Amino acid sequence: MLALRDSKSRNSKSLDGIWNFKVDTDNSGVENKWFASPLKDVRTMAVPSSYNDVTVDPEIHDHVGLVWYEREIIAPRFGDDQLIIRFGSVTHEAQVYVNGEAVAYHKGGYLPFEADITEHVEEGIAFRVTVAVDNRLGWHSIPPGYVDTDDSGKARQNYWHDFYNYAGIHRSVYLYTRPEVHVSDVTVVTDIEGDAGIVRYDVVADGASSISVRVLDAEQTEVAAGEGASGELRIDNAKLWAPGEGNLYTLEITADDDVYPQRFGVRTVEVKDSQFLINGKPFYFRGYGRHEDNLIRGKGHDNVMMIHDFEVMKWQGANSFRTSHYPYAEEVMDYADEQGFVVIDETPAVGLNMSIGGGIFGDQGFETFSEDTANHETQETHANEIRDLIARDKNHPCVVMWSIANEPETHTDASREYFKPLAQVARDADSTRPVGYVNVMISTPDVEKITDLFDVIMLNRYYGWYIKTGNNADGELSLRRELDQWVAQYPGKPIIFTEYGPDTLNGLKDYFRRPWSEEFQEDNIGMFHKVFDDYPEIVGEQMWNFADFQTTPGIMRVGGNKKGMFTRDRLPKANAYAVRERWLAMLEKQGN
């Protein structure tokens, strides 16, 4: 889906702000047609935000099922154009009504959707938007889950991913106008020839009688131009997009009366001989897995926190992150483009492993892949998430790799049957970037069955924490033994550590440097770094996690996951300074 961009032919209006809100306590609102008239007995709710932590009412925080949002809007002038309503994300399902008429349905909590409401409204006349939001997860959703009841008969959402199931209208809502004949898609692929940038483009604009394009640099100077729906352009003396250098161009597309500006960067990505190459140069990932998680806001997007997070990452010398474990807001991807941050872009396929529950290893009582659990319908939902993610983010130069799942079961024949076609789905959708998945530590190379389908090995490992707890010396020996197996079994594949590190309570000091203390975090992460430096096949270290984050309650999670390099409100733990010293030295040596 195209990003929202204003232009000569397109105008947008934000619908962010205060909406009416109501919890559907018995999930009967659709049946009782709450959408047909204004909601009664409402309270207020901020959009965007997760609704869970905004109030202090447990009936709202813990509700399983439907909630309702409503707002009245005066329709802008749109003349002969189309009027579109666009949602950045609604978690996990949304049914949208305009004046009581259903206009959109979307399943999947982390990607945008939109609807043409031209025929449902009149210029200058107020209309009512009603959104039914459902936070329930099932066996066929991505991520998966199931709903049962506790002993008191209250609905309970169960899931296997280790972050809280925040819900609501999480990202911005807009109205925008566009001509009836308009650009509906564009793909930009770049290459480098000497000092020149090669730009291959493909535009979809159904019904357009003419299509022309021109490339504008940062100063809005035209540096190339062409005609037709597809073609190849050359930018002489191109400024390359590179890690730490967010050089961007704009492909301005004119299709009849529509003008759409598509930003892009000139850069290449390649995996070769155990190296990850950006613009033909070896790149080493320094950074984190992260979460869209903030105090009160939950997963609601906040530009203030976004900019602050990037400033903190730059302070520490990071150059990259993974969108663990779902696609992030479009604003984040745009900002990563501008700031020259490298991104591993991940689907919401987390929790496809019933041997892990909330970060705890052990049998959770279900078979992961079966007709009754994750099955063909789940696989098709997963495939659609891959296609939609790539359709949204394919033109972002910051995105250098697709991750199609985090810590799935991969040691069974059923897991290979599930993932083999999905790896191909990703390659069919985008042949220009490497494809990977993130491997869980119970899927060691002697039992793992799908690594050959992917370009890069991405490992989540917790030696010294979940395994060999508190014993970093034994953890180091186990880590080295396993790495030797990966290198021998998959020669030529680069390895990125996408998670490592222990839970750490900020302020807990310990002369004996035991688990949960700040001293132990420094020792454990330092052990991993010492090992990384001995293996040229390792091309990246993205620790877990950037900042502490909320999870479902449990004895393993004291007020959430505490593996952050920073606290949930972004204060540095002691180890943040040790890692900063390492990463700034690497930045000076590597140049990015």
Side-chain angles (χ1 to χ4, degrees):
M1 176 179 287
L2 288 178
L4 184 69
R5 297 284 186 259
D6 282 355
S7 72
K8 296 177 182 178
S9 60
R10 297 175 178 230
N11 291 286
S12 62
K13 174 183 179 179
S14 173
L15 303 185
D16 292 356
I18 307 300
W19 289 50
N20 290 333
F21 178 82
K22 185 173 183 177
V23 175
D24 194 343
T25 54
D26 59 2
N27 296 307
S28 64
V30 174
E31 180 182 350
N32 292 326
K33 297 184 178 180
W34 285 10
F35 51 83
S37 59
L39 297 174
K40 297 180 175 62
D41 302 318
V42 298
R43 61 193 307 157
T44 55
M45 186 58 61
V47 172
S49 73
S50 300
Y51 61 76
N52 308 82
D53 293 347
V54 175
T55 77
V56 291
D57 185 345
E59 296 303 315
I60 295 175
H61 182 273
D62 300 330
H63 177 67
V64 176
L66 290 165
V67 299
W68 294 75
Y69 290 77
E70 179 187 80
R71 179 167 176 178
E72 191 170 273
I73 304 141
I74 295 177
R77 294 181 179 178
F78 52 91
D80 295 329
D81 287 346
Q82 296 174 334
L83 183 64
I84 312 298
I85 190 167
R86 187 184 197 275
F87 292 80
S89 74
V90 179
T91 306
H92 292 279
E93 291 187 35
Q95 180 71 60
V96 181
Y97 305 86
V98 170
N99 292 332
E101 296 293 324
V103 297
Y105 169 78
H106 186 259
K107 181 176 182 179
Y110 301 98
L111 289 169
F113 64 96
E114 62 186 27
D116 182 350
I117 62 171
T118 312
E119 302 303 320
H120 297 270
V121 303
E122 296 182 43
E123 289 184 352
I125 304 298
F127 66 95
R128 187 179 71 258
V129 176
T130 309
V131 187
V133 178
D134 196 337
N135 68 355
R136 287 173 289 191
L137 297 167
W139 290 112
H140 305 144
S141 63
I142 296 293
Y146 69 96
V147 177
D148 63 7
T149 56
D150 61 21
D151 291 343
S152 68
K154 186 176 181 179
R156 177 177 58 185
Q157 176 71 69
N158 299 270
Y159 49 88
W160 290 270
H161 55 272
D162 188 25
F163 55 94
Y164 189 74
N165 189 44
Y166 280 115
I169 301 178
H170 277 154
R171 299 172 189 161
S172 290
V173 185
Y174 282 93
L175 291 177
Y176 78 93
T177 62
R178 69 187 181 198
E180 184 174 354
V181 174
H182 58 269
V183 177
S184 59
D185 194 26
V186 56
T187 303
V188 179
V189 176
T190 63
D191 205 346
I192 302 169
E193 288 186 2
D195 293 333
I198 306 302
V199 182
R200 300 180 181 93
Y201 68 91
D202 188 14
V203 174
V204 178
D206 293 340
S209 58
S210 67
I211 297 175
S212 63
V213 300
R214 60 184 191 136
V215 175
L216 307 176
D217 66 13
E219 287 72 41
Q220 299 301 297
T221 301
E222 182 179 304
V223 294
E227 300 286 337
S230 60
E232 181 175 302
L233 305 173
R234 182 183 182 90
I235 305 173
D236 292 325
N237 300 312
K239 290 184 177 181
L240 302 184
W241 188 96
E245 300 179 36
N247 297 315
L248 297 173
Y249 291 89
T250 300
L251 183 73
E252 187 181 80
I253 307 158
T254 302
D256 289 359
D257 294 328
D258 189 27
V259 177
Y260 184 80
Q262 175 63 60
R263 297 199 313 177
F264 69 95
V266 177
R267 65 108 180 91
T268 61
V269 174
E270 183 182 9
V271 170
K272 183 179 181 181
D273 299 331
S274 297
Q275 293 185 318
F276 198 100
L277 306 176
I278 298 179
N279 300 337
K281 299 176 182 179
F283 177 72
Y284 190 90
F285 295 78
R286 301 186 308 273
Y288 331 78
R290 298 173 62 222
H291 266 298
E292 291 186 319
D293 176 277
N294 285 300
L295 297 169
I296 302 174
R297 298 162 180 81
K299 291 196 176 303
H301 177 71
D302 183 321
N303 284 327
V304 175
M305 288 304 303
M306 176 188 74
I307 293 174
H308 182 63
D309 283 354
F310 273 82
E311 291 299 311
V312 171
M313 290 190 290
K314 287 188 285 186
W315 171 85
Q316 204 175 30
N319 61 12
S320 65
F321 60 88
R322 174 170 60 117
T323 69
S324 46
H325 301 298
Y326 38 80
Y328 286 3
E330 293 161 285
E331 293 90 341
V332 174
M333 309 307 289
D334 285 341
Y335 201 65
D337 285 341
E338 296 165 8
Q339 298 297 309
F341 263 76
V342 172
V343 177
I344 299 172
D345 208 357
E346 191 160 88
T347 74
V350 56
L352 281 167
N353 195 332
M354 280 53 173
S355 60
I356 303 176
I360 302 173
F361 294 93
D363 183 14
Q364 305 299 315
F366 295 95
E367 182 178 353
T368 301
F369 300 107
S370 74
E371 286 303 312
D372 297 324
T373 54
N375 57 21
H376 179 72
E377 188 174 344
T378 314
Q379 185 185 50
E380 186 53 39
T381 302
H382 193 164
N384 288 334
E385 291 284 354
I386 294 170
R387 295 185 189 102
D388 290 348
L389 170 63
I390 294 175
R392 191 195 75 165
D393 289 350
K394 61 186 174 182
N395 295 321
H396 284 288
C398 68
V399 176
V400 299
M401 179 162 52
W402 308 111
S403 172
I404 69 168
N406 176 74
E407 293 192 342
E409 176 185 302
T410 60
H411 64 278
T412 60
D413 291 337
S415 66
R416 185 172 180 89
E417 293 175 10
Y418 181 90
F419 278 102
K420 185 175 181 179
L422 294 179
Q424 192 59 47
V425 166
R427 296 190 191 285
D428 290 344
D430 179 17
S431 62
T432 70
R433 291 176 176 86
V435 178
Y437 86 97
V438 174
N439 173 284
V440 68
M441 65 185 307
I442 58 176
S443 285
T444 49
D446 53 321
V447 299
E448 202 277 342
K449 293 182 181 292
I450 70 171
T451 294
D452 62 297
L453 303 173
F454 298 94
D455 302 301
V456 175
I457 298 170
M458 293 189 283
L459 302 178
N460 292 355
R461 293 297 182 267
Y462 290 100
Y463 291 109
W465 184 243
Y466 293 123
I467 295 177
K468 310 287 186 181
T469 305
N471 191 332
N472 286 322
D474 279 3
E476 179 179 343
L477 292 174
S478 298
L479 175 59
R480 290 182 184 274
R481 281 195 293 266
E482 185 185 343
L483 276 170
D484 290 341
Q485 292 178 330
W486 284 110
V487 171
Q489 193 163 329
Y490 296 100
K493 282 189 187 289
I495 299 171
I496 303 172
F497 274 77
T498 39
E499 291 186 24
Y500 60 100
D503 282 270
T504 305
L505 284 178
N506 187 44
L508 178 61
K509 307 295 185 181
D510 187 357
Y511 285 114
F512 305 104
R513 310 181 78 87
R514 289 169 293 194
W516 286 95
S517 71
E518 292 190 274
E519 289 82 5
F520 183 78
Q521 186 182 45
E522 185 171 353
D523 292 347
N524 182 256
I525 287 179
M527 177 271 285
F528 274 87
H529 288 166
K530 181 174 70 171
V531 173
F532 297 168
D533 292 342
D534 289 341
Y535 286 83
E537 295 84 2
I538 295 176
V539 300
E541 51 191 63
Q542 293 187 334
M543 66 187 59
W544 192 250
N545 186 285
F546 169 66
D548 295 345
F549 58 92
Q550 191 58 266
T551 65
T552 189
I555 59 172
M556 294 285 288
R557 298 287 176 254
V558 184
N561 191 303
K562 294 295 192 292
K563 292 188 179 69
M565 185 63 48
F566 302 89
T567 62
R568 199 177 183 207
D569 55 354
R570 279 48 174 180
L571 295 177
K573 298 178 185 177
N575 188 49
Y577 296 95
V579 173
R580 180 175 189 256
E581 182 177 353
R582 169 182 171 84
W583 283 357
L584 290 178
M586 296 172 78
L587 172 62
E588 183 174 355
K589 181 179 179 180
Q590 297 166 356
N592 56 41

